[in-house]
Amino acid sequence: MKTVKQIGASGQISLGKEFAGRTVVVDSREPGVWVIKTAQTIPDSELWLHQPEAAARLDRAMAAMDQPPISADLDALEQHLGML
């Protein structure tokens, strides 16, 4: 569907209320030709979560949450860690 929009005096284009608050990517293919696509962005501080190694660690952690807890020998652990 093609829609004609006017660029306002402040340089803005209104896409309509259905896109309010959404992030878009504007791709300039050539002078006067723009392709506008909705997008989701990842903050820089969270980008590490999407790296393969971190994602795999998170997947393992989430899977472990479904397992019942097991008892631990805390005395042996302290001894192993040299805390006694």
Side-chain angles (χ1 to χ4, degrees):
M1 172 177 79
K2 292 185 181 189
T3 304
V4 176
K5 296 288 182 174
Q6 175 113 13
I7 300 174
S10 64
Q12 296 179 339
I13 299 173
S14 175
L15 300 176
K17 290 190 185 281
E18 65 189 279
F19 298 105
R22 296 287 311 265
T23 300
V24 296
V25 174
V26 180
D27 184 17
S28 179
R29 301 272 167 108
E30 60 183 74
V33 177
W34 302 332
V35 175
I36 302 173
K37 299 177 188 176
T38 56
Q40 294 180 353
T41 57
I42 302 169
D44 287 344
S45 63
E46 296 175 13
L47 190 57
W48 68 274
L49 293 167
H50 300 274
Q51 301 302 318
E53 182 179 322
R57 289 178 63 198
L58 287 168
D59 287 343
R60 286 194 305 273
M62 295 299 288
M65 290 177 64
D66 292 335
Q67 302 300 316
I70 57 172
S71 61
D73 183 348
L74 297 180
D75 292 330
L77 178 61
E78 285 179 340
Q79 199 167 31
H80 174 73
L81 297 174
M83 299 176 76
L84 291 176

